[in-house]
Amino acid sequence: KLGSLLLSQISDLAIYATIARADGLGIGKALEFAAKNLNPLNAKDKRIAMQLGIASQNIINDVGLRYGEAVKGVDFASRMANATIKLSGAEWWTESLKRSYQQLIGFELNNAVKDGLDKMPKQFQAMLKRYGIGDAEWEIIKKVKPVKISGEEMIAPVQIKRMADEFEMSGDKATAQAIREVAIK
């Protein structure tokens, strides 16, 4: 039954586009990022995104699964279900769309830094507020050096964390902790 799972996920593109529109991120750019990430020949950008911690949940899941196998064992049916999901392409599809959305947010964050947050759609500003990004957090984000993926500049959480590491190394632990909290948000 899981073999045709990927076919049922085609509707994810509509949901993805709807969420992007609702968050003020724009459907066109959202679909462009999705197309780039769904392209199996785009391994270089995928590798860069993974290095930047974008949509690395699949790595965490794999480590957790392996650890779980070592600690309590996993039965044959569970291993077969996991293998079927991977082989069907469902995991690739889901991770590609997650990576696309995170890149889209990073791209729009970079645009907001360049153009000013007040010029961004109200939905985008509301999304940031939902995630606890207020004026203090925004001042930190504005200082982050963007990275380039797929020819687009974006702000990645790992860049914020690197900024926190610099403060940590200089002895300013309080500022470093505040910056790390922004990276998490």
Side-chain angles (χ1 to χ4, degrees):
K1 289 184 179 182
L2 287 175
S4 61
L5 180 61
L6 185 59
L7 293 175
S8 70
Q9 291 184 292
I10 299 298
S11 63
D12 290 355
L13 282 174
I15 294 166
Y16 169 82
T18 301
I19 293 170
R21 189 185 75 212
D23 284 342
L25 299 170
I27 294 173
K29 205 63 176 172
L31 292 175
E32 179 184 328
F33 276 109
K36 286 177 181 178
N37 279 287
L38 288 168
N39 179 356
L41 301 176
N42 194 6
K44 178 184 172 198
D45 288 342
K46 178 182 177 183
R47 191 173 50 256
I48 292 169
M50 297 299 258
Q51 289 170 345
L52 294 171
I54 296 174
S56 56
Q57 188 63 40
N58 63 335
I59 294 170
I60 294 167
N61 291 345
D62 283 349
V63 170
L65 180 64
R66 288 189 187 114
Y67 176 76
E69 286 175 354
V71 173
K72 66 178 177 132
V74 175
D75 65 1
F76 178 74
S78 231
R79 285 194 307 260
M80 288 306 294
N82 286 333
T84 303
I85 288 171
K86 281 186 179 193
L87 292 173
S88 73
E91 183 177 277
W92 159 80
W93 179 269
T94 300
E95 290 303 318
S96 294
L97 289 182
K98 281 183 190 178
R99 193 170 44 256
S100 301
Y101 201 75
Q102 289 178 5
Q103 288 176 350
L104 177 63
I105 290 172
F107 171 77
E108 290 299 338
L109 279 173
N110 188 57
N111 284 345
V113 168
K114 287 191 309 191
D115 301 337
L117 184 59
D118 57 325
K119 293 186 178 151
M120 297 305 290
K122 297 294 179 203
Q123 303 97 312
F124 181 75
Q125 294 176 38
M127 177 191 65
L128 294 178
K129 287 196 186 330
R130 272 196 318 268
Y131 289 104
I133 298 175
D135 294 337
E137 291 83 3
W138 187 247
E139 289 304 312
I140 291 170
I141 291 171
K142 286 183 351 185
K143 296 175 185 170
V144 176
K145 182 180 179 216
V147 294
K148 201 171 237 184
I149 304 176
S150 298
E152 306 279 0
E153 284 192 339
M154 56 193 68
I155 294 175
V158 75
Q159 294 299 96
I160 301 171
K161 186 187 172 304
R162 285 181 183 150
M163 193 167 76
D165 293 344
E166 290 172 13
F167 278 93
E168 181 87 31
M169 289 173 24
S170 72
D172 190 348
K173 294 185 186 303
T175 302
Q177 182 58 34
I179 294 171
R180 274 194 188 87
E181 289 174 16
V182 173
I184 291 167
K185 291 176 182 181

